[in-house]
Amino acid sequence: MHRRQLSTTRARVGEYRARPTGRAQSDAPRAGSVACLPCDNRCPVTEPSAPAEASAGATSPAPASAPAPEPASASRASRHATDPRPGLSGLVEGALESWLAGEGQPAYRARQILDGVWRRNAQTTDELHALPTPLRAGLERDFRVDTIAADEVSVSDRGLTEKALHLLSDGALVESVLMHYPARGRGEDGRPEHRERHTLCISSQAGCAVGCPFCATGELGFGRDLETAEILDQVRHASRRLAARQHRLTNVVFMGMGEPLLNLDRVLEAVAALSDPQRFGLGVRHVVVSTSGVVPGIRRLTQLNPQFTLAISLHAARDPLRDVLVPLNRRWPVAEVVASARAHARVTGRRVSYEYVMISGVNDTDVDADALSALLRGDLAHVNLIPMNPVAHTPWQASSPERVTHFAARLRDGGIGATVRRNRGQDAGAACGQLAADRAGEPPAPAVAHRRELIVRQSEVALRGDRSGERLSADLEAAVAGQRADR
Ligand code: SAH
Ligand code: SF4
């Protein structure tokens, strides 16, 4: 099968930049909605002091499984994947067996196919060596072995971070970030205190309807939900790269593009496949699902009693400010989000993580630290402080390292466990959301200026202590309505 590779260089990224595609939202911010600003949406799952020695060499682009369409945009390229054939990795249990029966094939072929998909991370039917040619042709006709048409991988942090831009069959672009953490510390027995880890941050949607104004994915707006296989194939691609270096993925975090709890069925299917010993075989406790606060989704998770970690992107303990930083707060305010997270911790016995992006002069004051301590005191919770990644088009900046350290100390004094997270990948200039945003092209200057103004005005209102009173964007309203219908 023909394979196509995207270049690993930023120069090639620039080639596509000229295409002015799918930027409906950024061209003209709607009155009465929060404008989406670009941010880096970088996976904040980092260690406070990861050693700097490089463990990963320069990567080459992963092979692609199908002729790739012209790259388009993560945003609004289409609401659905255009190739109707389901991806093999996303099939629910039993589906393959039923299909094989229909083809007059023995059931044991299912195991061979799944081995190819999960153990060898096959990307084409040619790689399913154990299968007879007619069966391969049948699979090719009805399924995609790989739902990712092409990858572009760029390496940063001296090899410790690899960002992949994935091209999907309809031209949508999504990102994943692979972070390497070398072993560190020595116990008395000579073994490392902290074992080597390889963490992958994956996307659950192309774009995002929530529109947090410090997030690059938020600026793109909502494109579409990813299929289960499109989520899982990000993992398979990273595993394939790792396997070539005799490494294995140790952790998967849903902290890439999109709001996982607004695509919850598929995210749950993906987690099931990841933690199934017959498929990916990763311990479910090594999975983190992050949400901006979709309360019905959190409640649904609680009923399911999953053993993965739930992370809540809080970013502010006060409603007026959170209305601006996380527009979903206008529907489910701080108290509801924290109450649902608290119930989740109680039922599952699992500590909830709170993510808190630190923005200078906006949410990093002593008042904010005290409000956060008061909110979470006594809870089974931990706060991760993440200095905001620099992003284009925003009037905001990251809090200074001194402010972040002070904020963390104040939280600890208030009885709240807190860790300062170091961001990964800044030297590559982009991470989750930002690469796709770059591809979508630069929005017109007046739109950018308008956006900045809006954010400054909204922040001023919030900092005075007034709630925004602004409505949800149409996309977010639709997503939220979908949630309600699910209940
Ligand atoms: N939508 C989900 C998961 C994806 S975002 C959520 O919001 O939780 C994953 C994390 O990246 C969130 O905590 C988000 O707030 C954070 N993030 C987004 N933009 C960022 C930026 N510019 N700097 C630092 N963290 C950012
Ligand atoms: Fe970005 Fe997450 Fe906010 Fe969506 S919910 S805009 S992905 S930070």
Side-chain angles (χ1 to χ4, degrees), residues 254-277:
F254 286 79
M255 291 185 168
M257 297 171 73
E259 169 47 59
L261 268 51
L262 290 176
N263 189 16
L264 188 51
D265 288 336
R266 279 134 164 198
V267 165
L268 287 173
E269 280 176 12
V271 174
L274 290 176
S275 54
D276 178 358

Side-chain angles (χ1 to χ4, degrees), residues 38-44 208 210 212 214-216 254-260 290-292 311-313 315 355-357 386-391 423:
C39 82
D40 274 350
N41 188 12
R42 289 193 177 121
C43 299
C208 182
V210 179
C212 305
F214 51 84
C215 175
F254 286 79
M255 291 185 168
M257 297 171 73
E259 169 47 59
S290 178
T291 179
S292 54
I312 307 278
S313 295
H315 311 321
E355 310 301 308
Y356 197 100
V357 170
I386 313 136
M388 190 190 86
N389 279 300
V391 289
N423 284 313

